[in-house]
Amino acid sequence: MQVSVAHHPPNTAVLVLRGSLDIDTAPALKANLNRLVERPSPRIVVDVSGLDFCDSMGVGVLVNAHARATERDGWVRLAAPSAFLRRLFDTLGLTDYLALYPDVEAALKE
């Protein structure tokens, strides 16, 4: 999996993920997110449009990052999920917890 980070004002980071988010690659995403959620009021958009696979480890990293960001008066939002990811988060009952947006721009606006 490839991870790139871009910073947008005010205090918002956009992570772009490409490839597979699974047991082998989840630790790299976790390390990136851990650095970002330590900031005051972290605002993080994760562009998942380039993910071709996500397993339970990947879901856990995203949910945990959102929980930690919320504790610090921030948030994590997912942008451009595939139909598969949308169904996965819906099946797990996470769509009310972790916000899904059609694209990065929409996630940054709210």
Side-chain angles (χ1 to χ4, degrees):
M1 180 187 67
Q2 297 174 350
V3 179
S4 61
V5 180
H7 295 279
H8 296 263
N11 196 31
T12 304
V14 177
L15 272 76
V16 179
L17 307 183
R18 300 281 181 254
S20 296
L21 177 52
D22 56 25
I23 192 168
D24 294 324
T25 59
L29 177 59
K30 183 177 180 180
N32 278 287
L33 286 169
N34 282 344
R35 281 195 318 273
L36 294 171
V37 298
E38 291 304 315
R39 301 181 316 181
S41 302
R43 298 163 39 125
I44 304 164
V45 174
V46 182
D47 180 352
V48 293
S49 63
L51 283 185
D52 51 21
F53 179 77
C54 182
D55 70 5
S56 61
M57 290 293 292
V59 170
V61 168
L62 294 168
V63 168
N64 186 46
H66 177 66
R68 291 184 59 215
T70 301
E71 290 172 357
R72 301 178 65 82
D73 296 321
W75 44 255
V76 172
R77 298 174 177 171
L78 300 185
S82 65
F84 165 76
L85 278 178
R86 209 171 261 291
R87 278 192 311 275
L88 176 62
F89 276 83
D90 191 43
T91 300
L92 295 172
L94 294 172
T95 52
D96 289 336
Y97 178 70
L98 191 58
L100 306 178
Y101 291 83
D103 52 42
V104 172
E105 292 76 25
L108 288 170
K109 282 182 185 174
E110 290 193 24

